[in-house]
Amino acid sequence: MNIQKLKRTGIIAGLLLGLTAIISFPKTAQAADHLNLEEGLPTEVEDAYPIPYKGIELQGVTKYDRINGKDSFVIEPRVEYGIAPNTQATISVPFQFGSAEDDGIGDAGVEFLYNFNAESLKTPAFAVAVGADFPTGSDSAGVDPKVKLIMTKTLGAGTNLDRLHLNVGYTYNSSKQSGERSNRFKAIAGYSRRLGSSTILVTDLAYEQEEEKNEDAYILELGIRQQATPLTVWSVGAGIGLTDDSPDFRITGGIQQSL
């Protein structure tokens, strides 16, 4: 086993130990919240609120992209933990398959989200998420730090709970390869609305600079979040690319289970 593989094995082992520690931590069951938007469940947009303090949530994200006639499948298990009031930590380990990329484990990630305030009649809720992607993928190198600013604002006082969301993210490519960007930006404008006591409609427009230079993706997404039980939320969504560099279309699905 070469040094690069040893490093990947060590990173993955460390993340798995972190997952085990989180799951083993003394806890009280918290109800799942279908109003709390999570990235990829079912669209890219995220809201400014963390899970409750000491809450634990297991998430399973699945995504299929059709890209220039090729297939990309991603299955990403995650664990979220409310490590402090208004603060959550997330560990994710994606697995990728298909003709659009090499099969195997992708870049594992760690992220910490902090919410600054609850929204008021005039002021949105604001949060910041900081984290890093680790080089656990077969062709990856270097730890890539990232930061995301998040805003959420409710519109009016109706029972439908119409909300606007804005996400702006930045990732630094610490080990840029030939033809890659050193810095990548991502911006998402989203909207969510309650369709019933257990159902949320989510839609967004996402812009992302791809890792390859001169490639920018725009995708329009629509999805549903459904509270199946007090501890379980299902989600399903679809998206369509708006430019040549974007995926032709996207299908997403996922589950969130509170412990």
Side-chain angles (χ1 to χ4, degrees):
M1 181 177 292
N2 60 33
I3 295 176
Q4 190 67 20
K5 288 184 178 179
L6 284 172
K7 288 181 178 179
R8 292 194 197 104
T9 303
I11 291 170
I12 295 170
L15 291 172
L16 291 176
L17 286 173
L19 294 176
T20 303
I22 288 174
I23 294 172
S24 303
F25 200 89
K27 55 190 177 290
T28 301
Q30 303 272 1
D33 184 3
H34 63 306
L35 300 176
N36 185 8
L37 304 184
E38 302 283 356
E39 182 178 344
L41 293 165
T43 71
E44 290 295 295
V45 74
E46 184 176 5
D47 71 10
Y49 294 101
I51 63 174
Y53 176 40
K54 294 185 179 181
I56 295 180
E57 187 170 278
L58 304 181
Q59 300 176 359
V61 180
T62 61
K63 181 173 70 173
Y64 167 74
D65 283 339
R66 183 69 171 175
I67 306 170
N68 296 324
K70 296 183 178 181
D71 302 312
S72 171
F73 298 90
V74 176
I75 300 173
E76 183 176 296
R78 302 177 189 156
V79 175
E80 283 189 356
Y81 177 54
I83 59 173
N86 304 317
T87 308
Q88 74 182 28
T90 305
I91 297 175
S92 59
V93 183
F95 298 86
Q96 56 195 31
F97 312 91
S99 55
E101 52 202 335
D102 294 334
D103 293 350
I105 190 169
D107 290 343
V110 174
E111 182 180 84
F112 297 89
L113 181 146
Y114 177 75
N115 168 261
F116 293 99
N117 65 297
E119 66 176 288
S120 66
L121 291 177
K122 296 183 179 180
T123 306
F126 291 97
V128 62
V130 296
D133 292 328
F134 294 87
T136 50
S138 58
D139 295 325
S140 298
V143 177
D144 296 345
K146 56 185 180 180
V147 62
K148 182 194 298 183
L149 302 178
I150 306 168
M151 183 195 77
T152 293
K153 183 70 178 74
T154 303
L155 304 177
T159 58
N160 289 326
L161 198 64
D162 296 283
R163 298 196 300 167
L164 292 178
H165 314 276
L166 180 63
N167 301 173
V168 179
Y170 165 79
T171 301
Y172 174 66
N173 187 351
S174 64
S175 296
K176 184 184 71 168
Q177 306 297 314
S178 176
E180 292 183 349
R181 286 185 166 106
S182 298
N183 309 283
R184 290 188 290 137
F185 293 91
K186 185 175 183 178
I188 306 167
Y191 165 77
S192 61
R193 176 184 176 90
R194 179 184 283 156
L195 299 182
S197 60
S198 302
T199 308
I200 297 294
L201 172 73
V202 187
T203 185
D204 68 28
L205 175 62
Y207 160 74
E208 182 174 9
Q209 292 181 326
E210 301 288 358
E211 197 167 51
E212 294 77 14
K213 291 180 179 179
N214 303 318
E215 291 191 12
D216 302 310
Y218 294 82
I219 188 164
L220 183 64
E221 300 178 295
L222 180 69
I224 294 289
R225 291 172 55 82
Q226 178 70 36
Q227 186 102 37
T229 74
L231 297 177
T232 307
V233 175
W234 291 93
S235 63
V236 62
I240 184 169
L242 304 179
T243 63
D244 291 340
D245 292 336
S246 308
D248 300 326
F249 63 88
R250 171 177 294 170
I251 299 173
T252 61
I255 184 172
Q256 298 166 246
Q257 181 67 42
S258 296
L259 302 180

